[in-house]
Amino acid sequence: MHSVIKYCPKCKEYTLQDNCPECKGKSVQPGPARFSPEDTYGDYRRKLKLLDRKKKDVA
C-alpha cells in the first residue's frame, strides 16, 4: 500500500485521507516530490517519457 501525504487548503492540516478529518474539506497533494541528485530511476523515467512521446507522434 502506497500512502501520499495530502494537505487541506482550508484548515492547513496534513493528512493521508482524501477528505480532511478536521473540516471535511477535500485534501490535495501539496506539491511535487523533492528533487534528488542521486535519483536512481531518473534514466528510466526519461527513457519512458521519450518512448511515450514517440508513440504519440506515430499515432
Side-chain angles (χ1 to χ4, degrees), residues 1-46:
M1 186 172 138
H2 180 59
S3 299
V4 177
I5 192 162
K6 295 183 179 183
Y7 175 75
C8 177
K10 288 172 69 176
C11 63
K12 299 182 179 20
E13 290 289 326
Y14 287 91
T15 182
L16 295 174
Q17 301 171 3
D18 290 333
N19 294 324
C20 177
E22 298 292 321
C23 70
K24 308 298 184 219
K26 182 156 177 65
S27 56
V28 295
Q29 288 186 359
R34 291 185 183 162
F35 171 76
S36 172
E38 294 92 23
D39 186 8
T40 55
Y41 297 105
D43 290 334
Y44 298 112
R45 196 171 37 258
R46 287 185 288 276

Side-chain angles (χ1 to χ4, degrees), residues 39-55:
D39 186 8
T40 55
Y41 297 105
D43 290 334
Y44 298 112
R45 196 171 37 258
R46 287 185 288 276
K47 287 178 185 177
L48 185 63
K49 191 180 278 189
L50 183 64
L51 286 174
D52 189 41
R53 286 182 187 159
K54 286 183 180 181
K55 284 182 184 178

